[in-house]
Amino acid sequence: MERKRSDSIAETLEGLILDGTFADGDRLDEVQLAERFDVSRTPLREAFQRLAVSGLVEQIPRRGVFVRQPGPVALLEMFEVMAELEAACARLAASRITDAALDEMRAVNARCHASVEVRDVDAYYRENERFHAILYRQSANGFLEDKCLRLQRRLSPFRRRQLHLRGRLAQSMAEHESVVAALERGDANTAADAIRAHVAVQGEKFHLLMSALKQPAE
């Protein structure tokens, strides 16, 4: 299926924000960007709305759209909460996941592996989102699933960005397989620990992520 033009624009703008081309507080000029992408304002405004959901921009009535990036402390706190929420999903899913969902997770992992082989980060991330969405759903807890989906959207640009770090794709793939293996055994604690380690960006991992963000554009 062909991707929507607004999705492509949103991902391009996301990259320009995260690499420092557009700094925190900058106003995104709708007219200039429409000319830059050779589109009408409709797909551009849809892209702005997607970025607003992830928190990378703020839309202020009668003033415009402004870049908003979380500081390192806020970002770390969000990742800590995300890791614990997903651990709760895994713990519940260990006893509730269906055989069909396990098959679906294996199929997603196979597509992830194919993306790793060709180093297609974007394709890997799309499958990665599906993997996590299945886990949320298989917790069989609608309230928890909703909270995870909301925070996943908020952290999406940063989770995607860390996949560009050297060796991260292969590491992420191995972590996916560990999660599925634990779920197959019904091992709640191991599944929770595996997904927590997969999501958390503490220590050196966090420093690498921060160094990759907001670098001046060359």
Side-chain angles (χ1 to χ4, degrees):
M1 183 181 296
E2 185 177 352
R3 299 176 66 206
K4 289 179 61 178
R5 183 69 173 124
S6 59
D7 289 341
S8 176
I9 293 170
E11 288 185 12
T12 300
L13 289 174
E14 176 186 295
L16 293 171
I17 291 171
L18 295 180
D19 72 10
T21 300
F22 294 120
D24 188 46
D26 281 355
R27 181 178 179 275
L28 299 181
D29 189 293
E30 192 174 285
V31 174
Q32 290 182 1
L33 289 173
E35 292 177 356
R36 176 174 183 162
F37 292 109
D38 191 25
V39 294
S40 68
R41 296 191 185 186
T42 298
L44 188 61
R45 288 171 179 171
E46 291 176 353
F48 286 162
Q49 290 173 356
R50 174 174 158 174
L51 292 173
V53 168
S54 67
L56 282 181
V57 304
E58 180 182 8
Q59 297 175 298
I60 303 177
R62 296 182 296 280
R63 289 188 58 197
V65 178
F66 296 84
V67 174
R68 295 287 184 262
Q69 289 208 45
V73 173
L75 190 59
L76 179 57
E77 289 174 345
M78 285 188 283
F79 268 106
E80 285 180 340
V81 171
M82 186 84 260
E84 293 304 323
L85 288 176
E86 296 210 21
C89 285
R91 188 174 291 106
L92 293 172
S95 61
R96 300 175 180 181
I97 193 167
T98 65
D99 289 339
L102 281 170
D103 287 341
E104 191 179 357
M105 293 184 93
R106 295 186 195 101
V108 168
N109 272 353
R111 293 193 294 272
C112 282
H113 182 74
S115 299
V116 173
E117 289 293 306
V118 297
R119 294 200 55 78
D120 188 337
V121 174
D122 290 336
Y124 182 92
Y125 185 72
R126 287 192 291 273
E127 295 302 328
N128 179 71
E129 283 194 315
R130 293 187 180 99
F131 181 89
H132 288 271
I134 296 167
L135 180 65
Y136 306 158
R137 187 170 66 249
Q138 292 303 307
S139 72
N141 184 309
F143 181 82
L144 179 59
E145 180 184 7
D146 178 68
K147 294 302 179 185
C148 285
L149 288 170
R150 287 174 181 271
L151 190 50
Q152 182 192 51
R153 287 192 292 269
R154 181 67 179 87
L155 286 173
S156 176
F158 306 98
R159 294 178 79 162
R160 186 202 310 274
R161 191 71 172 181
Q162 69 171 326
L163 291 174
H164 288 273
L165 300 174
R166 184 179 302 132
R168 181 56 191 154
L169 278 182
Q171 181 186 17
S172 177
M173 180 73 250
E175 291 164 356
H176 277 198
E177 292 173 341
S178 296
V179 171
V180 173
L183 292 173
E184 288 172 337
R185 298 192 305 271
D187 187 338
N189 289 333
T190 300
D193 289 343
I195 199 68
R196 183 187 292 109
H198 174 64
V199 174
V201 288
Q202 298 176 349
E204 182 64 17
K205 207 156 119 180
F206 183 71
H207 290 306
L208 288 171
L209 175 61
M210 292 309 300
S211 68
L213 297 177
K214 297 184 280 188
Q215 296 296 323
E218 297 181 358

